[in-house]
Amino acid sequence: MADPGQDGSLLGMLSRGFQKLLGTENLEIVNPEGGKEDVMDEAARGRFSNQDKEGYFKQAQKYIGADVTSLVTLPVIIFEPMTMLQKMCELMEYTELLNKADSTDDPNMRMVYTAAWAVSPYVAFSRTWKPFNPILGETFEYSDHNNVTFVNEQVSHHPPICAGHGENEHFVYDCTSKVKTKFLGNSVEVYPLGRTRVKLKRSGHVFDLVPPPTKVQNIIFGRTWVDSPGDMVLTNTTTGEKVVLFFQPCGWFGAGRYEVDGYVYDSSEEPKMLITGKWNESLSYQPCDNEGEPLEGSTLTEVWRLSDLPEDDKFQFTHFAKKLNSFETAPTTLLPSDSRLRPDRKALEEGDINQSATEKYRLEEHQRAEKREREKRKDAFVPKWFRSSGETAVTPWGDLEIYEYTGLYDERKSSISEAPVEDTSKQEFSPWQYPELRVEVQESPVPTGIVAL
């Protein structure tokens, strides 16, 4: 590798200790498989050319320290062909664990199964491609897995909030999802300012989940990777039982990466089961004594294992994730606001990045036009399938307005014919509050950088 200090590029300046002059002393480049001496080699890696890295970083500097959730729009080159609503549905992949939690009479195993379900989507959440932000009023529906019916909706744009509901004969899942971010120059901290609740139907027990924060490393310089260090807390609000799992931070040369360890505690806060494993492989459990040591004669038993993954998938999709773009998993009465129908998502799935960027710009301009129309009419946006409950939840990262499922989606499904639609994939994407509104979008250069909203 040529000496980067011999040129005037940003990489060269960094190698000569020029960070403080640039105001980037917080710039962090981490090789999860190496040590501090690998930083400059790692900085040269990643999905962008050195020229693009320098350009993106210069554009991004003014956002350091800010919550960038709604401040910027990003180039499609870093996106995956999926929306945040679809990604939220990936929690439904291993719902057989919730079925088992509902069926068992053992209170400790009920906690083990539910905790394993909560850990299971972290492989999906660790993908390094960004999902599309949903349009206000956008929805996603899914049915065809463990008899689960799932629907979610983007209920607010500023701040971005989506609400979701999933259900089968064993459980009810409800979530209000909002994130808070902090941009650090070459990384983003993501705080899960949301509420996830699961109710098991047989026992009536309700579980509240608080996940750890996530850090996306090397978003400009180096190979992007994701870590979620910290505690995950799952509480049975009916009985007071609790699971606390510690997600180990990734150390130098990958030490501790993916590891999860913790305990099931009874209502008196005595440990009853130890849980250990890796969130990208499997989890196991073992009965323990009051000191947290394995009981004599007990064995470590696997409770969850990651399903086989597709080979050489560009976006690191699981087999389940691939189903979320398929119309075979959509109801025959698919809503026109469904994420599958987004033209920017479909173009990216087909490999046409320029067309995807153009369509993304068009949708964002239409959304801005709708906002102006609402203000002109003095209207409020009203979600179709969820409503504000009036409740405010307190989370470790701030307060959250809670949205609740209205049940109207179920009424709609039962009130209309289930006769197959000729081809649901040919519907025009329409999440709009004013479908009659015609928006003239000026031709615009394809956005390739970081643009302020």
Side-chain angles (χ1 to χ4, degrees):
M1 178 178 176
D3 180 6
Q6 298 303 310
D7 59 45
S9 70
L10 185 55
L11 287 176
M13 290 188 285
L14 289 174
S15 71
R16 297 195 301 271
F18 205 66
Q19 285 179 282
K20 289 187 178 180
L21 292 179
L22 284 173
T24 59
E25 62 271 13
N26 292 325
L27 179 62
E28 184 180 36
I29 302 168
V30 181
N31 178 358
E33 301 161 354
K36 293 182 179 179
E37 67 277 5
D38 301 315
V39 167
M40 288 310 303
D41 285 341
E42 182 62 34
R45 298 170 180 156
R47 60 184 60 150
F48 303 123
S49 69
N50 285 348
Q51 182 178 359
D52 284 344
K53 289 173 187 175
E54 184 171 349
Y56 289 154
F57 188 75
K58 286 180 179 177
Q59 293 176 61
Q61 281 188 78
K62 61 184 175 183
Y63 299 112
I64 291 177
D67 182 349
V68 294
T69 309
S70 301
L71 282 180
V72 298
T73 182
L74 299 169
V76 168
I77 192 174
I78 69 170
F79 281 57
E80 62 183 5
M82 176 183 287
T83 72
M84 187 59 76
L85 295 178
Q86 292 172 291
K87 201 175 188 79
M88 187 175 172
C89 185
E90 292 192 72
L91 274 162
M92 297 294 106
E93 179 169 4
Y94 295 96
T95 48
E96 69 273 7
L97 291 164
L98 293 180
N99 296 350
K100 291 178 180 180
D102 185 53
S103 300
T104 186
D105 291 318
D106 184 327
N108 295 325
M109 287 308 301
R110 186 182 298 124
M111 299 301 294
V112 168
Y113 287 131
T114 308
W117 166 78
V119 171
S120 67
Y122 270 79
V123 166
F125 295 165
S126 69
R127 289 198 302 269
T128 58
W129 303 90
K130 184 189 181 303
F132 287 91
N133 290 336
I135 299 295
L136 185 62
E138 184 175 335
T139 58
F140 180 72
E141 306 171 72
Y142 184 86
S143 57
D144 188 36
H145 185 75
N146 288 336
N147 204 31
V148 174
T149 297
F150 177 90
V151 62
N152 59 4
E153 180 178 10
Q154 189 74 6
V155 296
S156 172
H157 183 58
H158 287 296
I161 300 174
C162 61
H165 176 84
E167 185 172 356
N168 71 2
E169 66 273 21
H170 289 286
F171 70 88
V172 178
Y173 159 89
D174 287 291
C175 181
T176 300
S177 179
K178 175 186 175 184
V179 296
K180 180 179 180 181
T181 64
K182 185 177 182 180
F183 180 63
L184 298 175
N186 198 41
S187 63
V188 176
E189 292 180 347
V190 182
Y191 308 100
L193 184 65
R195 189 180 78 177
T196 298
R197 282 200 170 161
V198 172
K199 180 178 180 179
L200 300 180
K201 290 188 173 180
R202 193 167 73 97
S203 65
H205 289 190
V206 175
F207 298 82
D208 187 90
L209 176 65
V210 179
T214 291
K215 189 170 185 178
V216 185
Q217 301 270 17
N218 297 356
I219 59 175
I220 298 176
F221 298 98
R223 296 165 295 178
T224 306
W225 60 284
V226 178
D227 202 14
S228 298
D231 285 336
M232 170 185 281
V233 181
L234 176 74
T235 304
N236 184 330
T237 62
T238 306
T239 66
E241 296 161 308
K242 184 180 293 186
V243 175
V244 180
L245 296 176
F246 181 63
F247 284 55
Q248 299 283 349
C250 177
W252 292 113
F253 300 98
R257 191 177 186 189
Y258 310 119
E259 293 180 8
V260 180
D261 299 285
Y263 294 94
V264 174
Y265 297 92
D266 64 16
S267 58
S268 300
E269 298 188 353
E270 297 286 347
K272 293 298 179 182
M273 290 274 192
L274 64 85
I275 299 176
T276 186
K278 292 187 175 183
W279 54 258
N280 69 330
E281 291 181 6
S282 65
L283 283 181
S284 299
Y285 66 92
Q286 189 170 1
C288 66
D289 60 24
N290 289 346
E291 301 298 322
E293 297 298 321
L295 289 179
E296 186 176 349
S298 67
T299 58
L300 194 65
T301 304
E302 187 173 276
V303 65
W304 166 79
R305 175 165 289 276
L306 182 72
S307 299
D308 291 339
L309 300 175
E311 293 184 8
D312 302 321
D313 186 83
K314 176 181 178 181
F315 299 103
Q316 299 101 43
F317 276 6
T318 63
H319 288 291
F320 183 81
K322 287 176 175 288
K323 290 181 179 180
L324 301 182
N325 281 331
S326 169
F327 287 90
E328 293 181 2
T329 62
T332 57
T333 55
L334 185 68
L335 295 165
S337 50
D338 194 88
S339 295
R340 296 176 183 84
L341 300 169
R342 281 184 62 144
D344 52 356
R345 189 211 62 77
K346 292 170 74 173
L348 183 59
E349 186 177 28
E350 294 166 0
D352 193 336
I353 291 178
N354 286 341
Q355 183 63 28
S356 178
T358 298
E359 294 291 352
K360 177 174 175 285
Y361 174 76
R362 184 179 63 81
L363 291 176
E364 290 169 347
E365 286 297 296
H366 198 135
Q367 182 166 233
R368 293 182 186 105
E370 280 229 323
K371 180 182 178 182
R372 291 191 294 269
E373 187 69 15
R374 264 193 304 276
E375 292 171 349
K376 176 182 174 182
R377 300 189 189 190
K378 298 182 179 180
D379 286 347
F381 174 77
V382 179
K384 288 184 173 65
W385 316 113
F386 298 84
R387 66 186 169 215
S388 176
S389 67
E391 179 185 0
T392 299
V394 179
T395 80
W397 302 283
D399 294 346
L400 174 72
E401 180 184 6
I402 298 300
Y403 284 78
E404 61 186 8
Y405 180 60
T406 64
L408 293 177
Y409 176 76
D410 290 329
E411 292 181 16
R412 173 187 180 273
K413 286 191 70 176
S414 62
S415 67
I416 59 180
S417 171
E418 286 288 341
V421 175
E422 187 173 330
D423 188 351
T424 56
S425 67
K426 300 300 183 185
Q427 292 187 81
E428 181 179 352
F429 178 62
S430 180
W432 312 118
Q433 185 174 4
Y434 310 112
E436 74 283 359
L437 184 65
R438 292 292 174 258
V439 179
E440 295 295 329
V441 178
Q442 297 291 327
E443 288 295 327
S444 173
V446 174
T448 57
I450 300 168
V451 181
L453 288 176

